[in-house]
Amino acid sequence: MATYVAQCVIGSRSLARIPGARDAAWVALLGLPPYSAFFSGGAVGPDTWGLLVADEAGKPTTTFALDGTLPGGDAFGWGPRWTPANPPPKGTSLEIWRKWCLQRDRVMMAHGAGLVADGWTVRVLALLDPESKTKGTKYSAQEADRLGLPVTVLGWDARGRRFRTWEL
């Protein structure tokens, strides 16, 4: 029986604005062990950088997009949407959008756990900005851990301008 490995990358969007973080993230992403397919939330920063690396490597990619769609979802047999619901309309409060984003993150990790049940190996890499105000990456990493998915957390060390192993 073939072993399939799904790599998930989640990360703080704020890292996209930090000088040096992209280059350091690129090193981490290029150093990932081999995988068969890739999924992420597709947010600006680490999620998108991971998608680019996977795409360059010719790996199938899936994005849990905030509009409720699941581009590339057929790579895992998941279908075209991660939710039947529509996203909150533009102009909705930040709290409602936050809840929507966290729901997406829970569904994404549950899909990862479903892959494990189907015989896949799933790994999660979280690239964290400890100064992030939203804490969505930390939440998602904790959710993955709660579901039994192996999570590697690398936190941005602003002084050293590099990522280092970080505890949840």
Side-chain angles (χ1 to χ4, degrees), residues 97-114:
W97 265 105
R98 183 179 186 277
K99 287 178 182 177
W100 175 259
C101 293
L102 294 178
Q103 172 63 19
R104 183 270 314 263
D105 295 347
R106 284 189 298 275
V107 169
M108 183 168 56
M109 294 310 154
H111 275 63

Side-chain angles (χ1 to χ4, degrees), residues 51-148:
L51 284 163
L52 290 170
V53 169
D55 192 52
E56 287 265 327
K59 305 297 182 186
T61 62
T62 300
T63 304
F64 285 75
L66 282 177
D67 66 1
T69 62
L70 198 56
D74 46 338
F76 297 104
W78 290 336
R81 295 188 60 80
W82 60 265
T83 179
N86 289 317
K90 291 197 185 295
T92 302
S93 75
L94 285 177
E95 185 57 29
I96 290 174
W97 265 105
R98 183 179 186 277
K99 287 178 182 177
W100 175 259
C101 293
L102 294 178
Q103 172 63 19
R104 183 270 314 263
D105 295 347
R106 284 189 298 275
V107 169
M108 183 168 56
M109 294 310 154
H111 275 63
L115 287 175
V116 172
D118 289 341
W120 285 66
T121 297
V122 176
R123 298 186 311 245
V124 178
L125 173 64
L127 297 174
L128 180 70
D129 174 3
E131 302 300 317
S132 170
K133 300 201 184 338
T134 65
K135 307 297 183 216
T137 299
K138 182 177 180 182
Y139 174 87
S140 298
Q142 290 171 329
E143 180 68 6
D145 184 62
R146 185 186 73 76
L147 293 172

Side-chain angles (χ1 to χ4, degrees), residues 131-168:
E131 302 300 317
S132 170
K133 300 201 184 338
T134 65
K135 307 297 183 216
T137 299
K138 182 177 180 182
Y139 174 87
S140 298
Q142 290 171 329
E143 180 68 6
D145 184 62
R146 185 186 73 76
L147 293 172
L149 300 175
V151 182
T152 300
V153 181
L154 299 178
W156 180 250
D157 177 356
R159 244 183 255 173
R161 296 179 49 91
R162 63 182 177 86
F163 285 100
R164 62 180 180 86
T165 304
W166 200 265
E167 295 295 319
L168 287 175

